[in-house]
Structure formats: C-alpha cells, structure tokens
Amino acid sequence: MVGSWAGSWAGNIFGGNNWFTVGIEMGVQRMTEGVVESSFMVGAKVYDFKAGKLRDDWASFIGKSILESGMIGLVSGFTTGMIGSAIGGTYTNGSFVFLDKKSSKALGKEVYLFYGDKLNNFAYTMGDVAGEAVHFGFGGNFRINLGGGYGIGITHDGNLVSDATGGVGLVNLVDAIGSLNYVGFQYRNVNGGDEGLSRISYVNMGYLSGDMQNMKTAMDVINDKKRIEFDLEGEGEYGYAGEDNRTIHLNREAILADDDAELRAKLAHYTATTMHEGFHIDQHEWLAKNGYEMDDITLERMAYEQSTKTLALLNLRFGLNVGGSKYEDVAIAGAEFARTGDPYGLDMSGRSFKKDNSVGMKNESRTTNEQEMRKIYENRLYLSKEVKSPLDLAEFFLVETVKWMFPEKDEPDWRPDEDGKLTLREAFYWFKNGKGEKLEVDIKSLNLDRVKLSDFNKEGKAEIHLESHPWWGLDQALVYGTITLELVGSNQYKVRPDKYDFEMHNILNGKGWDERMRVLMRNVATAAARLIHTPFFGGKSYYINFNGTNTIGE
C-alpha cells in the first residue's frame, strides 16, 4: 500500500500517461516496496547468532542491502513501466491492461487484445531482467528461477551454480522471447495513429471471431507473413489481395476514426474484408505451390463464404453487424453469391472484395415487380430443396444465419404444405412464421418403402426411427425424427400426427445397448437442432398431420 501511494505521488508530479511517467510511477512503487521489505529482513542478517553480537560491518551491510533493494525495485519497475506503456498498455492498480482501442470505442465496452497476456509478460520479464542486472552489479549472481524451489545463478566468473533465492522466471523468459513477434507488431502499430490502431483492430477482431482461417490470417499479419495496407480509393473498392501474395489492400476509408457515425458497421465490414483477402492470398499461394489453376468465380465464391461467416460470427459474439449501413447491400450480395453462385453485381477478379459498378447491386435495372416475383420464386425453389448431405446442412445453416443477420419480412399468405410435401427448409420456415398452426402432409411424400409387416407389434403399431439409418433420407430424418405407424386392415398403414419440436428422450427407456445408443445419438441431434432453432432464430412448434394411407412394401 505504501508503495502504491509513493508510485502515484511520483506519477502525479510528472503528470500524463506517457512511457516516462509510467516508468517513474512503477519504479518508485517497486523501490519503496523493496526498501520496506529489505528493512524488515535485514535485521536477521546483521546479527551473528553464533558469536552473540552484531556483525562488525552491520552499518554498511544495512546501507548496502537497502540501497540494493531500492535500486533493483527502481530499475525493474521503471523498465517494466516504460516498456508496458510504450507498447500500449494502460497502467492501473499495479498492472497493465492492453485494449483494442478502436473496437472498444465501437462497441462501447472494453475489448481486450487476444495477445495482451503476451505483452504483459514481456514487459514484466524485461523489468525482472533489468532488476537482475542491478543485482549482478552489486556483486550477486544473475539468477534464473527454474520453478519448484530450484534455480541457477551465473557468477561473475561465468560459472553456473545452484541459486534459488529469486531471479527471472525461466518460463516467463522463454515466453517473452517467443512473444517478440507480438511485441514488434504492437509497437509498430499502437503508436501509428488511427491507421495503426485500425490494423490492430482488424487483426484482433478477426482472431476473436473464433474461426480457424481467420485466426491464421491474424497470426500471419502479426508474424509479418501478410501485411495490411490502406491504399485503395473509390466507392466500392473495399479490398484486394495483392499479386505478391502477401499484401492485403484495404480502402482508405477502412482507417477507423473515433467520431465516425458508422464506426461499428465499418469495423464489422472491414474485418470481414480483411479475412476475405487473407483467404484469397492463401488460395493463390496454395495454387502456385501445387501448380494448379482455379477459375475466378470459384475463388471468389469461397472467399465470400469466408467473409459471410466472419460477419455472422462477429454478430453472434459481439453484436457487431452491418445492418442498416451502406455495407448491408454488399454483405447480402456476398452471402447470396456464396450460396447460389450468382455474382449479384460483385467484381469477379479472384482477388477482390469489390462492387462491379457497371452492373449495380441486386440487378437494379429490373423493375421492382420483376425483382419481387423473382425473389418469391427463388425463395420457394430454395425452400423446396431437400437436405441430402452434411454440405447441404451447412449451407442451410449459413443461409438461415444470414437471414437472421439481415431480417426481411417473409412472404405472406403462403403455406409450405401446398404441394403435400415438407422439406427441412420448409419446416424451419413454418417454425419461424407459422405461429404454431398445423401442416397437412401427404403420406405418399414420405420415403417408407422399407417398412415391413414385422415392424408392427401386436397392437398394430410401429415406431420408425428415421434418424437411425441413412436409407430413410437425411432431410425427412431431420424433419420428423421418430414417427409412429398404425395398421389399417391387413397390409396398409397410416401415420399418427407428429409434432415439430425438440423433445429429448430418456436413454434408460431403450431396450438393450443398441437401442440406448440410438436414443443417445438422437438426443445429440435434437440438442443441436434446438440450439440452431430457438436461442437465435426463435419460433413456435406445431403439429404435422399425415393424410391418406400407404401400402406395406410401396
């Protein structure tokens, strides 16, 4: 407490929050703490218990010990404070905090650098090294603490001896050396004005999105394998992956200003653009390395899928999106292009995130009515497609995430059961929009050709676990899960009404190991479906009636 008070007092004398003031504050704090601690401990060292008297040199010993402790504290604290402040740390209550300043401003809350712990350890370890240099200068060993009560000391003769009395932590020292890439990136940019702070934010938010490809791009920039330059100009010229397969070019407007009214949207858009172009660089690097070629549309479609995913993750994790901003149209166009392959007015260079201004976004040359009719047709066509593979399921989740990010009013007065069929996409559409009203499905639309008479019990009922076997079809398995059949006559059956919900079944009710494993796998799938449906998208469960009868074997 005395040390903190002394450090604050010294800092107030010099004023400001620059590296020198912070260094003085930390130095005086540690010096005071060192002097106080040394004063308490030195008494036991100056009394010679064997001789029963004070050491002959007790006065000089006390003076030297207190001076050494004070100097070690002053130098180590000043070094730590100077380095920590110089690389962007904010010193409060005896420790450093490293913030992503532009993202914090945009979100209205503190956003920490994902590598802040690396910077903090570097500053404190360099302070410890400086303190040990002082200890060495006063005649002691240069000590390295190995942990677990062990340590080594480097003597003035250059020999290694056992010395566990303190020193620089070996683990901290190794981590500090391994953190030089983070320190270099941070130092170059944190003092580089809005441009440098923007570069830090795009790297940090890309990494914090949690996507592995984005994390790779972020680390490549930190390790100087990629670099971000703000050198593009012109409306719609958002990003470009340079032919050097290293430089991510961004528009000058990507430089974030604290007073920008669209700071949040710009941060989201250009983080996604940075990750988009980083992915392009990796594409071209891999193609060149392996001697392959790929058409520009395929390259762009993959990259727009990456940027769309980035926007979805930023919205999910931080509430950061481009909705209502000038970047909304291009985000929707990119998502639709990733889904359908229709460029929607985007430039197709294989390296860019750019509008094709000669075409215009969303095909604006069409009349409003034509656009609306085509949109309804395409939406119905999309909803009617079955989910036949995990890739289709991933596409379904991506599209619904985009719809959640950019909500539009759904088509009114349309029921997905008009044709007597029901796909997963249609079922989910009705979950969101049907207000719990039941649907009518033709029994002939189900794939039940493997049903046998032996499946029915003596009461004439059969439970068909569509999720248990691939031959039933992935789409209807995801819609219906388990359905119950009832015999009608000798060789026909009907299907009992089913509820589109996410009910969990008791594993212990299963008969035998196979049955219990089936219930377990069903519950895992049900939990995943519940996660997708309810927390983010909302909706209401409903019943499905099956009309007609079917003949066994058909």
Side-chain angles (χ1 to χ4, degrees):
M1 183 175 292
V2 175
S4 296
W5 178 84
S8 297
W9 173 78
N12 290 333
I13 290 177
F14 288 92
N17 195 34
N18 55 60
W19 63 266
F20 182 78
T21 300
V22 174
I24 288 293
E25 183 175 346
M26 286 196 71
V28 170
Q29 177 181 336
R30 284 198 182 180
M31 177 183 71
T32 305
E33 291 168 350
V35 168
V36 171
E37 182 180 354
S38 178
S39 299
F40 280 110
M41 296 180 63
V42 74
K45 296 181 179 180
V46 297
Y47 189 79
D48 188 342
F49 288 94
K50 188 175 182 180
K53 63 176 184 177
L54 292 172
R55 292 173 46 158
D56 294 336
D57 60 346
W58 66 270
S60 61
F61 180 81
I62 291 175
K64 179 178 178 294
S65 297
I66 293 176
L67 177 62
E68 180 181 351
S69 297
M71 286 301 296
I72 289 174
L74 177 64
V75 173
S76 64
F78 182 82
T79 303
T80 297
M82 176 187 67
I83 292 175
S85 181
I87 57 179
T90 301
Y91 182 65
T92 55
N93 299 322
S95 63
F96 280 106
V97 172
F98 292 89
L99 294 176
D100 178 343
K101 296 180 180 179
K102 293 298 182 182
S103 297
S104 297
K105 181 70 175 179
L107 292 170
K109 63 180 181 181
E110 291 184 338
V111 178
Y112 298 96
L113 296 178
F114 76 88
Y115 52 93
D117 288 345
K118 300 283 188 183
L119 302 178
N120 195 58
N121 177 71
F122 182 84
Y124 275 91
T125 301
M126 292 302 101
D128 290 344
V129 169
E132 277 305 294
V134 173
H135 181 260
F136 191 77
F138 272 86
N141 298 326
F142 190 97
R143 301 162 298 176
I144 299 176
N145 191 333
L146 304 180
Y150 296 96
I152 58 174
I154 303 173
T155 69
H156 285 257
D157 298 328
N159 298 319
L160 293 179
V161 296
S162 176
D163 189 341
T165 59
V168 184
L170 179 62
V171 173
N172 295 333
L173 184 60
V174 171
D175 187 68
I177 294 171
S179 301
L180 289 173
N181 53 343
Y182 297 100
V183 174
F185 171 77
Q186 178 74 4
Y187 182 74
R188 288 193 302 271
N189 290 288
V190 77
N191 300 300
D194 285 343
E195 183 172 327
L197 293 175
S198 299
R199 190 176 286 113
I200 289 173
S201 289
Y202 296 135
V203 167
N204 192 54
M205 295 304 287
Y207 191 96
L208 292 179
S209 73
D211 178 75
M212 294 300 292
Q213 172 62 35
N214 291 349
M215 293 167 79
K216 178 185 181 302
T217 295
M219 288 306 304
D220 282 349
V221 175
I222 286 174
N223 292 326
D224 206 30
K225 293 180 180 179
K226 293 183 176 78
R227 62 185 182 186
I228 300 172
E229 299 294 340
F230 302 90
D231 53 5
L232 298 180
E233 296 182 350
E235 180 64 29
E237 295 271 357
Y238 301 120
Y240 187 77
E243 280 78 5
D244 60 355
N245 287 339
R246 184 187 174 202
T247 305
I248 297 171
H249 299 275
L250 297 180
N251 196 290
R252 292 286 300 171
E253 73 168 10
I255 299 174
L256 303 169
D258 290 349
D259 58 354
D260 192 332
E262 288 201 327
L263 181 59
R264 287 174 64 94
K266 190 172 286 186
L267 176 62
H269 173 71
Y270 278 106
T271 297
T273 302
T274 301
M275 300 304 121
H276 179 109
E277 301 306 340
F279 185 67
H280 266 324
I281 289 175
D282 288 347
Q283 286 176 321
H284 287 284
E285 238 184 6
W286 186 88
L287 291 171
K289 181 180 178 180
N290 292 279
Y292 294 132
E293 294 182 355
M294 189 177 291
D295 65 277
D296 290 342
I297 290 181
T298 301
L299 290 170
E300 290 289 4
R301 192 172 181 183
M302 294 168 67
Y304 275 105
E305 182 177 343
Q306 186 65 33
S307 52
T308 300
K309 180 166 56 173
T310 302
L311 285 172
L313 289 169
L314 291 175
N315 191 35
L316 181 63
R317 291 172 179 264
F318 300 99
L320 195 63
N321 56 65
V322 297
S325 74
K326 69 175 186 177
Y327 307 111
E328 182 176 15
D329 284 352
V330 73
I332 295 173
E336 286 298 297
F337 169 50
R339 182 176 70 86
T340 66
D342 185 337
Y344 284 88
L346 298 169
D347 180 74
M348 294 290 111
S349 70
R351 287 183 176 271
S352 63
F353 194 126
K354 177 183 176 184
K355 291 182 183 179
D356 184 351
N357 292 318
S358 65
V359 176
M361 302 302 297
K362 297 185 177 178
N363 298 315
E364 291 174 350
S365 59
R366 298 175 181 166
T367 66
T368 302
N369 187 54
E370 286 175 334
Q371 289 182 34
E372 200 61 36
M373 291 301 293
R374 180 174 178 82
K375 182 178 178 181
I376 291 173
Y377 169 75
E378 289 178 345
N379 188 46
R380 290 194 183 184
L381 191 65
Y382 162 73
L383 291 172
S384 67
K385 286 172 56 180
E386 290 186 6
V387 170
K388 296 182 178 180
S389 68
L391 188 61
D392 290 340
L393 189 60
E395 180 204 29
F396 162 68
F397 180 70
L398 174 64
V399 171
E400 294 304 330
T401 301
V402 172
K403 288 181 178 179
W404 170 58
M405 289 166 54
F406 309 108
E408 294 182 0
K409 187 176 180 180
D410 285 296
E411 180 188 346
D413 303 325
W414 176 72
R415 293 174 58 91
D417 59 353
E418 287 180 353
D419 59 357
K421 300 177 182 179
L422 190 64
T423 67
L424 175 63
R425 292 180 172 92
E426 291 172 335
F428 182 58
Y429 168 88
W430 199 246
F431 179 81
K432 292 190 299 178
N433 302 289
K435 300 179 181 179
E437 292 186 21
K438 67 181 179 181
L439 292 178
E440 304 287 337
V441 173
D442 189 340
I443 192 174
K444 300 291 186 183
S445 69
L446 301 179
N447 173 25
L448 298 174
D449 57 340
R450 289 178 176 265
V451 171
K452 307 182 296 295
L453 189 59
S454 59
D455 293 330
F456 293 84
N457 60 23
K458 61 183 180 180
E459 285 84 23
K461 296 180 181 179
E463 278 197 351
I464 304 299
H465 304 290
L466 300 174
E467 74 277 15
S468 299
H469 301 289
W471 58 65
W472 297 117
L474 178 61
D475 196 81
Q476 71 174 11
L478 291 170
V479 175
Y480 304 115
T482 299
I483 58 175
T484 302
L485 311 183
E486 291 183 356
L487 275 176
V488 179
S490 59
N491 68 337
Q492 289 192 317
Y493 60 87
K494 63 181 181 179
V495 181
R496 295 182 63 180
D498 187 55
K499 190 175 185 181
Y500 187 77
D501 64 0
F502 312 102
E503 180 187 6
M504 305 294 280
H505 289 186
N506 191 336
I507 296 175
L508 299 180
N509 290 341
K511 299 176 182 178
W513 176 254
D514 291 344
E515 179 72 8
R516 291 180 179 180
M517 285 302 297
R518 183 199 63 72
V519 175
L520 175 62
M521 294 305 295
R522 177 206 173 279
N523 284 348
V524 170
T526 300
R530 181 186 293 173
L531 178 65
I532 291 173
H533 280 62
T534 47
F536 305 133
F537 305 115
K540 193 170 183 180
S541 298
Y542 55 89
Y543 278 97
I544 303 169
N545 287 340
F546 299 92
N547 298 323
T549 60
N550 212 359
T551 301
I552 294 175
E554 287 187 355

